[in-house]
Every structure is written in structure tokens, then in C-alpha cells.
Amino acid sequence: MYLTFLLQLKNSIMLGCQYSIIAIGFTLFFGMLNVVVFCHGDFYILATFTATALITAITGIFPPLINSILIIFALIMAMVITGFVGVIVERTTIRPFRKAPPVMPILSTIAVGIIIEQLIRLFYPAGSNPQVFPSIFRPGGVNIGPFLLSNNEVTILIITAVIFILMFLLFKTTRIGSQIVAISQDFEAASMIGINVDRAVSITFFLGASLAAIAGFMNGIYYTVFRYDMGAIAGIKGFSASVVGGLGSVFGAVIGGFIMAFVETFAAAYVPNGSAYRDVFSFSVVLLFLIFRPSGILGEKIIEKV
Amino acid sequence: MNKKKSFMLAIVFELVIFFSIILFMKVESILFSIIIILIFTAVIILILRRAETINKIKTIYEIHNKEMLWFLLILILVLPFFFKSNIYIIHIITLALIYSIAALGLNFQTGSTGMVNFAQGALMGIGAYASALLVVNIGMNFWIGLAAGIIIAGFFGFILGIPTLKTKEYHLSLVTIAFAYVSYFLILNMQWTGGPDGIAGIPKPSIFGFSLAKSLTVLGFTIPGQIFYFYLVAIILIIAIIFAWRIHNSWLGLTWNAIRDDEIASRCYGIYLTPYKLLAFILGSMYAGAAGVLYAHFVGFISPDLLAFSGSLLLLSMVILGGMDNILGVLIGAILLIIIPEKFRAFHDFRLMFYGLILLLMLLFRPQGLFPKRARNYNLNKGVE
């Protein structure tokens, strides 16, 4: 009983790492441009495919490459490629609607999401079948107390910790971080005091999309089997997480991601026949939040000005 | 322009649309289909470039709305006899009409009130399941199933409407997305809905003991059963159009537009938002329910895939392509988005890609849709200039 609880806790933390990293991307974009990028989940799955293709290609050419270098290289390349896709998406489908009613970016990003998803399905070799992420970790791991933390789980934890620290440092110490904060506080005032807003927006989209890429990479090494259409639901879950935590707050996104993961994992484990209804439970939590606290846990109450 | 001339113009306009659809369906080769599509895009862009042209067309239709509706009815009655040799085309057109009903309902929320609803496909599925369960498991007849489908979908629309009262924009879209996913997963996993296998063997309706599935021989002509179902769908669609048209022109449509343009301003004018937003959801969901019931009895088999997210996206693309808050536009958008992919069945794999591209290109280059909404015209009695 006690052991299963710990095991479920571990599973939910693994899932929570992914959700919160996706949610950070949503919250960054929303804070900056008041726009929800519905194709964020497709960045995520795009990165899983990119990393798979890269690792397969490299291990095909140099079989005895050292694993850790390979992992880091694949991760960074997936981040860079997905980041550039994010920048392109922002330039082509979000910037034209900066002054338009919010219906427009909702629909245009969904359209881009469909296009990315279908491009993967049609042009990746056997893209419509489930894919297997190459196993790049040696079996085994670290024993902590009664249960075993396998190598890929340790990697996920390390990557997440590094990301959180880097995000913290980015916003507290760097120039671009304070520019992003300034733009989220007041878009026009930020451009008035000489911040190159377009450049900062592009950098934010690069950052957000590469965060999605990290989550996608984690998805690959944790579940090992993935499909082209997993992006949509992961994106919606990440968006839900950022709403639960409070849209616009980075720390809230982290909390929301873990809440979503806890609900999902524990509903699947402890409710009878729960694994079939896990998504029903997590989305019901989102609906409850939207009914009773639309601004989320840490979000500011939205006061409309005329 | 006098009254007679404008009447003739309206008839010509309707005939042109009618025959172009027939021509498009008749043409077999893909190359010719592409050419026809290109020609029509060019014509539409040229005609609709100027705001006055479409305003004129709209005014003409407002003056002759009764005659035009009767004429449309006659055209619809005649339509199946152009394709008597090819029942498959009737099948597609019926499907297009069914989706038109659901798209008209979506237009209440997304077009008129400005609330982007991603749950219309799910509500359509709920209506379909309600009727299919009643008819297949309990043995009710089609008409009770239709009524139940409409009412149950309307009820779920009401449920969906409650959380949307406190939310707007992105949060509202998330509410509808969450609703769509919850209903999809529930229907997929519950036992009594048939689970992933869905429900098969949904019968065709019958009128006075005469089943719409059988073909009928009158005076040596054989009329296939599909044509009768087509008529049934067409009649329900026409009722739906009249209803939507009257709503659009009433204080209700005007109130919805006010809410879309500015919620705070409309509240300052004394509009109490709650009932109007709920009404938009309830009425739209009832349309979706009717479309779902018609779909279930038409195809004879439903599965949880009907509730999947892509169905809602398809309906949204129809509204965007045709033009938000424009009934004629929504109808044409629905018909185009069903018929064109069927024409290019050879590229079936690219269908979703095609929807995505159309949605994106429309938003980038013609965000108001093929037939944009126009300013309301209140001095009709002065006639057309």
C-alpha cells in the first residue's frame, strides 16, 4: 500500500515534469502577447520525432558513440530545430493578428497545429504508426530506499531541475529576461522605453518552443512509444495546467503542471476502472477551476478596463 | 432597379450557384474539378471585392425572401434527379446538408456571439448517441429519437453554457475543449454506449409505415430510397435556415452581436448577459443535436470518433470559410468543405492537411470569410436603389 503510493507519486512527478515544462511555454506566450498558442503541443511531438530521427541517424553512422554526448546532442538539436519552427510560426501566424480579436490567433494556431501534425504523419517514414524511441540508456539506475529510480527517470529529474534553475536565473539576472518581464507588464510602454519588442517576442517563442522540445524529449525517453497525434492532447493538458496555475505566472505553471499530473495518476491508480477515465478526471478538475476560480491559483484577478 | 428586375437577378443568382454545384459534382476528372474551383474562387473574389455588391445581393434577398425560399425548395426537390445514375453523389450532398445544420448552430455562438466553441462536434455526437440508443436499444421510432436528440443536446449545451458565463476568450475555448474531451472519453469508455465499437444497425426512419430506406417505383420510374432521406434532411435544413434567419433578424440576433462587439458596453446598455449567452449555447446545441440524429440514421453506424476533436474543427472551418454571422456563407462553407474533399478522394490522406491549410489561408488573407457579414439594413421599405 505504502509502496504503491510512493510508486504512483514517482509516476506523477515524472508526468508533472513534462506538464509543467509545457505549461511554462503557454504562460510565457500568454504573458507576453495575450495569446494562447494552441500548436504548442505539436512543437512537443515534433521534437520527439526530431530527436528520434537524429539518434537513429547518428547511431547508424557511428555505432560506438558515447551515450551521454549523444543524448545531449540530440536534445540540443531538437531544441534548436523546434525553436526555429516556433519562431517561424510566430512570424507567419501570430504576428499578423496582434491587433485582431482573440478568435483569430486561436484559430490560426490550431490550423498550424493541424498542419504540423499532418506533415509529420505524411512525410515521416511510416509516420502514422506508433514510433519507438531508441533506447539510449543502460538498464539499471539508482536505488533510493525501497524502489529503483531508473536512469531515464534520473535524467528527467536532472533536466527539469536544470530548466527550473535556468528559468529562474533568466528572469532574475539577464537582460532579455527583464525585457520579457517588462513586455508582459506593459507591451506599449516596453516598446516606448526602447526595448526591441519584435526581437524579444521572437526570442520568447524560441525559448517556449524549445521548452516544448525538452518536454517532448522527456516524453520519448519516459514512455518510449509515441504517435504523431499525441501532441494535441499534451498541448491541451499543458494549457490546462497553466490555467489551473494561473495563466501568466511561471511559478503557477509549474504548480499547475504537478496538480494535473497528480490528479491524473492518482485517479488512474485509486479509482476503480480509473485508468480509462484518467483524462475525464483531469479535465473535470480544469472545468471546476474554470467555474470557481477562472484566474487560477496564482493568477491575478482579471479586471477589465474600458 | 425595379422590383421585377431584382427578382430576376435573385433567381439568376440562385440558379448559377445551383448549376455550378451540379456541374462540379458531375465532372469526373480531377483536373477539371481544380479548374472549376479556380474559376469560382476568381469569380467570388471579383464579385465580392466591393462591399456594395454583396450588400445589394443581400438586400435583394431580404426583399424577396419568401419567393426565394420557395424557389430554393423547388431546386432542392429537383436536385436528386440530376444524379439518378449516381447515388453516391446524393449521399455526399445529404452529408453536406447535415453538416450545414450543425454549422448553422455553431454560427450562433462563434459567428453571432463571438464565443469560439470547440464542442459542436461533441454535441452533434451526443445527439446522435441519444437517438441511436433510444431507437436501437428501446425500439422507439425515429421521430421520438429526433426530438430526444435535440432536447438532450440542448440540455448539454445548457450545461456547457454555465461555465462559459464566467469566462471569455481563451478560457472559454478551454472550457469547450475540456467539455469535448470529457464527453469523448466518457462515451469511449462507458459500457452502455457500446464503447469503442459504437452502435451499429441504426434503422432508417419511416413515415406512415413507409420506410425511407426502400426504393419506390412510380409510373415505371424507380426512385432510390436515398432520395427520400435527402428530402427529409433538406426539409429539416430549410426549417433550420428559416429559424436561424428569423433569429438573426430579431432582437436576439442583435443582442448577440452587441455582446460580440463589446460585452461591457452591452452591459452598460442594460443587456443582462446570462440568458443570452446561455441561449446561444442551447439553440446552437439543438441544431447540433438535430444534425447528429440525422447523421446517425443516415450512416446507420456511429462510433466515438464522431465526437473527436477533428469534427469540431471541421465545423469551425466551415463557419470561418463561409463567413461568420452570415447564414448564406455558412451554408456554402459547409457544402464546399464536404464536397471538395470528396471530389479529391484519391488524396484522402491529405484531407486534414487541406482543412488546416484552408483555415490558415482564410484567416491570413480573408479573415471575414467568403461572404462577410454586412451592416444590418433597417429601412427595407425604401426599396432597392
Side-chain angles (χ1 to χ4, degrees):
Chain A
M1 192 64 210
Y2 172 67
L3 255 178
T4 35
F5 179 78
L6 276 185
L7 200 67
Q8 297 303 335
L9 193 68
K10 184 196 78 178
N11 287 344
S12 63
I13 288 174
M14 291 299 149
L15 199 60
C17 291
Q18 277 186 44
Y19 285 167
S20 52
I21 289 178
I22 302 175
I24 290 175
F26 273 107
T27 218
L28 277 181
F29 300 150
F30 185 82
M32 199 159 204
L33 291 176
N34 268 353
V35 61
V36 171
V37 182
F38 278 101
C39 54
H40 203 55
D42 297 293
F43 295 157
Y44 158 93
I45 205 71
L46 177 68
T48 320
F49 274 88
T50 320
T52 311
L54 277 171
I55 293 172
T56 327
I58 295 169
T59 44
I61 304 169
F62 318 102
L65 200 72
I66 305 164
N67 261 347
S68 50
I69 295 179
L70 175 65
I71 294 165
I72 293 170
F73 176 75
L75 178 59
I76 289 177
M77 283 310 289
M79 282 169 70
V80 170
I81 292 172
T82 318
F84 277 114
V85 172
V87 173
I88 294 168
V89 166
E90 192 272 329
R91 287 277 162 94
T92 50
T93 62
I94 296 171
R95 193 167 294 182
F97 302 115
R98 212 173 263 180
K99 294 218 160 57
V103 181
M104 296 291 161
I106 293 180
L107 293 169
S108 71
T109 50
I110 281 190
V112 172
I114 298 174
I115 292 171
I116 295 178
E117 189 186 296
Q118 293 299 315
L119 281 176
I120 294 174
R121 183 174 80 92
L122 295 168
F123 296 109
Y124 193 85
S128 48
N129 298 335
Q131 306 285 322
V132 180
F133 200 81
S135 52
I136 42 179
F137 291 97
R138 277 186 227 96
V142 190
N143 271 309
I144 296 179
F147 62 92
L148 177 86
L149 215 55
S150 67
N151 277 335
N152 50 10
E153 289 164 343
V154 174
T155 317
I156 289 177
L157 287 178
I158 293 173
I159 295 177
T160 315
V162 170
I163 296 294
F164 287 166
I165 294 169
L166 282 182
M167 291 302 289
F168 183 77
L169 290 179
L170 177 83
F171 288 115
K172 291 293 174 204
T173 59
T174 63
R175 196 182 168 83
I176 182 70
S178 41
Q179 284 183 359
I180 290 174
V181 173
I183 294 173
S184 349
Q185 281 169 358
D186 194 327
F187 193 88
E188 281 183 7
S191 67
M192 259 183 253
I193 58 168
I195 294 174
N196 187 344
V197 175
D198 285 341
R199 183 171 148 266
V201 168
S202 288
I203 290 174
T204 312
F205 269 81
F206 188 88
L207 196 69
S210 45
L211 283 177
I214 294 170
F217 189 80
M218 289 177 176
N219 173 47
I221 58 181
Y222 188 60
Y223 287 116
T224 64
V225 177
F226 56 98
R227 239 173 76 130
Y228 72 98
D229 56 357
M230 271 166 72
I233 191 123
I236 303 288
K237 289 258 179 69
F239 178 36
S240 311
S242 63
V243 168
V244 167
L247 210 46
S249 143
V250 174
F251 190 53
V254 174
I255 295 177
F258 282 105
I259 289 180
M260 291 288 289
F262 282 126
V263 171
E264 201 180 309
T265 319
F266 282 98
Y270 287 105
V271 178
N273 197 14
S275 56
Y277 294 102
R278 56 196 297 172
D279 290 329
V280 175
F281 282 104
S282 55
F283 282 119
S284 307
V285 169
V286 177
L287 281 176
L288 287 178
F289 260 96
L290 284 166
I291 295 172
F292 295 110
R293 200 176 159 80
S295 53
I297 295 174
L298 288 184
E300 295 157 24
K301 196 150 172 41
I302 309 154
I303 301 163
E304 277 181 71
K305 288 173 229 150
V306 184
Chain B
M1 204 194 296
N2 58 23
K3 212 156 181 184
K4 205 168 169 189
K5 203 172 160 196
S6 71
F7 183 68
M8 292 308 291
L9 255 177
I11 287 200
V12 166
F13 188 68
E14 213 159 83
L15 277 176
V16 165
I17 291 184
F18 179 72
F19 279 107
S20 49
I21 290 176
I22 287 183
L23 181 71
F24 184 68
M25 298 304 298
K26 283 263 183 196
V27 167
E28 295 279 335
S29 102
I30 287 175
L31 183 67
F32 275 114
S33 316
I34 294 176
I35 292 174
I36 292 177
I37 291 175
L38 287 181
I39 291 174
F40 270 91
T41 334
V43 168
I44 285 178
I45 290 174
L46 280 179
I47 290 181
L48 302 183
R49 222 175 174 162
R50 287 166 53 205
E52 305 137 44
T53 327
I54 181 115
N55 246 346
K56 237 176 218 165
I57 295 174
K58 201 185 164 204
T59 327
I60 288 172
Y61 275 88
E62 271 167 4
I63 292 173
H64 302 290
N65 55 2
K66 282 223 178 71
E67 295 92 324
M68 284 305 102
L69 239 104
W70 284 113
F71 192 61
L72 183 68
L73 194 66
I74 294 168
L75 287 184
I76 285 177
L77 288 179
V78 176
L79 181 68
F81 295 97
F82 284 89
F83 305 113
K84 263 191 60 182
S85 55
N86 196 347
I87 278 308
Y88 181 66
I89 294 180
I90 303 275
H91 189 93
I92 296 168
I93 296 178
T94 314
L95 205 61
L97 297 189
I98 290 174
Y99 270 94
S100 307
I101 299 175
L104 276 180
L106 181 60
N107 188 37
F108 288 148
Q109 300 130 21
T110 304
S112 304
T113 326
M115 306 183 284
V116 186
N117 177 5
F118 288 103
Q120 190 76 352
L123 288 161
M124 196 173 150
I126 287 172
Y129 264 92
S131 170
L133 286 171
L134 280 179
V135 172
V136 173
N137 287 0
I138 306 181
M140 304 267 188
N141 72 25
F142 168 77
W143 304 101
I144 296 178
L146 181 64
I150 293 175
I151 291 169
I152 290 175
F155 174 72
F156 276 99
F158 172 70
I159 303 258
L160 171 64
I162 293 171
T164 59
L165 294 173
K166 283 185 101 174
T167 51
K168 56 191 290 189
E169 294 166 6
Y170 299 108
H171 293 80
L172 192 148
S173 295
L174 180 60
V175 171
T176 60
I177 292 172
F179 178 87
Y181 272 108
V182 167
S183 44
Y184 171 73
F185 283 118
L186 281 180
I187 286 195
L188 182 69
N189 289 314
M190 284 190 301
Q191 292 301 314
W192 55 278
T193 55
D197 300 331
I199 302 173
I202 306 164
K204 284 265 195 317
S206 56
I207 302 173
F208 304 123
F210 166 68
S211 168
L212 291 190
K214 290 197 187 87
S215 54
L216 183 71
T217 313
V218 184
L219 304 170
F221 285 106
T222 313
I223 306 174
Q226 281 89 340
I227 291 185
F228 294 110
Y229 200 82
F230 168 81
Y231 285 153
L232 174 72
V233 174
I235 290 167
I236 294 178
L237 174 65
I238 286 181
I239 295 171
I241 293 174
I242 295 173
F243 199 61
W245 183 255
R246 302 203 73 137
I247 287 178
H248 179 79
N249 285 336
S250 69
W251 47 269
L252 186 54
L254 195 60
T255 315
W256 282 346
N257 286 2
I259 295 174
R260 174 192 64 201
D261 292 341
D262 197 328
E263 276 192 16
I264 295 176
S266 41
R267 258 159 70 189
C268 294
Y269 275 106
I271 296 172
Y272 184 42
L273 299 183
T274 306
Y276 295 105
K277 282 186 163 182
L278 280 179
L279 254 183
F281 271 102
I282 294 170
L283 289 174
S285 311
M286 288 167 90
Y287 272 57
V293 174
L294 289 173
Y295 179 89
H297 289 268
F298 175 57
V299 180
F301 163 74
I302 50 174
S303 71
D305 284 343
L306 185 58
L307 282 89
F309 198 54
S310 54
S312 304
L313 279 181
L314 172 62
L315 288 167
L316 258 181
S317 318
M318 289 168 179
V319 175
I320 305 284
L321 173 69
M324 294 208 237
D325 204 17
N326 184 325
I327 290 170
L328 177 69
V330 171
L331 291 176
I332 289 181
I335 291 171
L336 285 181
L337 275 189
I338 295 289
I339 288 179
I340 293 179
E342 285 297 336
K343 223 39 222 184
F344 300 105
R345 275 195 308 286
F347 308 103
H348 181 80
D349 254 9
F350 292 82
R351 209 186 44 182
L352 268 172
M353 181 95 182
F354 168 78
Y355 291 145
L357 270 178
I358 284 217
L359 194 56
L360 185 60
L361 292 178
M362 286 305 288
L363 287 168
L364 283 175
F365 299 112
R366 201 175 164 81
Q368 66 274 49
L370 287 177
F371 293 84
K373 61 170 188 285
R374 287 295 160 198
R376 288 159 180 277
N377 197 349
Y378 287 107
N379 43 2
L380 277 181
N381 297 333
K382 287 180 186 166
V384 207
E385 285 130 60

